[in-house]
Amino acid sequence: MPPGEFDIIRRYFSRRQAHSSGVVEGIGDDAAILHPEPGYDLLAAADVLNAGIHFPASTPPHAIGYKALAVNLSDLAAMGAEPLWFTITLSLPESNEAWLSEFSRGLFAIADRFRISLVGGDTVKGPLSIGIHVLGRVPEGMALRRDGALAGDRIYVSGNLGDAALALTRGAGDNPGARYLRNKLDYPEPRVALGEKLRGVASSCIDISDGLAADLGHILEASGKGAIISAALLPLSDCYRTEVTDDLYRLALVGGDDYELCFTVPGAMHYRLEDIADELDCEVTCIGEINDAGKLEISDTDNANAILNARGFNHFN
Ligand code: ADP
Ligand code: MG
């Protein structure tokens, strides 16, 4: 007989060890009891992944578990927050032990790496959907926000852009290039350590979930600024450069799912970035500058306007 709701929770989601302190009562009662330390602001974020919309139905359950938490950790990273606790709302079409086992393995692989504790959730029958709420903390008043960019600040991005979106346009090929791209789509790396180091250094920050143009656009809108970025400076992987033969910059500008950070840094802080990147072994690339023009302009590509008019991925379009 397949396991029922309580067996599922006990077998696959209840674990004794808590990574972060402050868990007075975790899974088991009607609500978790959490005890934040004084001197910190608490940050909350949530993201839902629905099968067929946010991930292809063919995605392996291990990757679904990993990614459901990774995209939430990415939101904490964008705020400069240290991950603490999370809850999960699982809607499952059936009680399938092989699926649950792989899913929870992927989920806890990343939870352990980022030392975040599962403290509760809900388990129901329905179409496959995974909702996660994360809680994190920053020293009081130190959260990175979208609205602090000033004219003259340099614009940086972490890692490479466009690989995840490129993976979606490729089939399930079994060659090194296809595997690399698939991995970037299924196992994004939340830039939590980078976010934490950027506290007091970056003037604004966002994670790139809907594409650089759309997400940098959010910084510009919140800050009431414009920007010029150079397409030629966008960090593209070797694989991306090999695979994309025309319209080289389009996916890097408007493709989603990269979960890299885009942030702005005032002149006095530029010198800090090299050290931070070295220390973390995470590449950061300057791609442009904030200005007072009130719009995003892209140099070094003939069809910037066509690319920008197509915009990032919008869920209701
Ligand atoms: P209630 O009926 O009060 O909603 P549940 O029976 O749904 O309680 O859940 C019992 C306990 O198990 C609660 O502490 C809840 O947070 C936790 N829980 C439920 N589903 C999960 C899950 N998938 N992972 C972790 N904890 C869960
Ligand atoms: Mg419940």
Side-chain angles (χ1 to χ4, degrees):
M1 208 178 78
E5 180 189 340
F6 294 109
D7 288 329
I8 291 177
I9 298 168
R10 192 168 42 78
R11 264 184 232 173
Y12 299 105
F13 298 101
S14 300
R15 303 207 321 180
R16 278 292 123 208
Q17 104 253 28
H19 294 295
S20 34
S21 53
V23 181
V24 180
E25 178 76 55
I27 296 169
D29 213 318
D30 290 311
I33 307 173
L34 306 169
H35 192 74
E37 276 179 51
Y40 288 88
D41 287 331
L42 208 50
L43 288 88
D47 256 319
V48 179
L49 298 191
N50 287 333
I53 297 174
H54 304 104
F55 58 89
S58 62
T59 308
H62 185 277
I64 299 172
Y66 175 100
K67 188 165 178 176
L69 185 53
V71 301
N72 278 280
L73 287 169
S74 179
D75 283 326
L76 290 181
M79 302 298 291
E82 173 195 347
L84 292 175
W85 310 303
F86 74 104
T87 60
I88 187 162
T89 307
L90 261 185
S91 168
L92 302 169
E94 54 173 353
S95 167
N96 175 333
E97 294 220 62
W99 193 95
L100 280 162
S101 165
E102 277 301 288
F103 173 84
S104 63
R105 228 168 43 77
L107 181 77
F108 285 112
I110 183 166
D112 290 347
R113 196 146 73 75
F114 288 92
R115 305 186 57 73
I116 187 168
S117 306
L118 178 60
V119 296
D122 202 14
T123 310
V124 299
K125 195 175 166 74
L128 181 58
S129 168
I130 302 105
I132 287 186
H133 277 82
V134 283
L135 289 165
R137 69 175 187 182
V138 296
E140 227 170 296
M142 293 297 285
L144 299 172
R145 308 166 56 119
R146 299 177 177 188
D147 60 5
L150 291 174
D153 290 356
R154 283 191 193 161
I155 303 164
Y156 289 83
V157 293
S158 62
N160 293 313
L161 298 179
D163 286 340
L166 181 58
L168 279 173
T169 70
R170 296 291 185 268
D174 194 23
N175 55 69
R179 278 199 296 275
Y180 164 84
L181 292 173
R182 191 87 221 162
N183 203 54
K184 293 294 290 273
L185 177 67
D186 287 348
Y187 293 95
E189 176 70 16
R191 302 296 188 181
V192 172
L194 176 60
E196 289 185 57
K197 295 265 183 205
L198 290 176
R199 295 197 298 244
V201 173
S203 52
S204 71
C205 187
I206 193 167
D207 70 320
I208 305 176
S209 51
D210 293 337
L212 173 67
D215 289 316
L216 174 56
H218 293 313
I219 286 185
L220 301 182
E221 201 177 330
S223 303
K225 296 290 172 215
I228 177 147
I229 62 175
S230 162
L233 294 177
L234 295 178
L236 307 177
S237 69
D238 293 342
C239 183
Y240 183 102
R241 285 185 186 279
T242 312
E243 294 269 327
V244 180
T245 46
D246 59 57
D247 216 357
L248 182 64
Y249 301 118
R250 194 176 59 81
L251 287 179
L253 285 166
V254 300
D257 265 356
D258 285 318
Y259 299 100
E260 296 295 347
L261 295 185
C262 173
F263 53 96
T264 58
V265 178
M269 290 291 168
H270 293 165
Y271 77 101
R272 296 278 298 275
L273 274 190
E274 221 167 287
D275 290 346
I276 290 174
D278 282 353
E279 211 176 304
L280 297 177
D281 198 20
C282 167
E283 263 179 50
V284 296
T285 308
C286 179
I287 58 166
E289 198 174 293
I290 298 291
N291 57 34
D292 281 319
K295 66 178 174 82
L296 175 61
E297 197 186 322
I298 300 168
S299 61
D300 300 331
T301 178
D302 301 336
N303 53 350
N305 286 332
I307 293 172
L308 285 186
N309 289 338
R311 288 181 42 237
F313 182 68
N314 182 321
H315 291 260
F316 293 99
N317 278 345

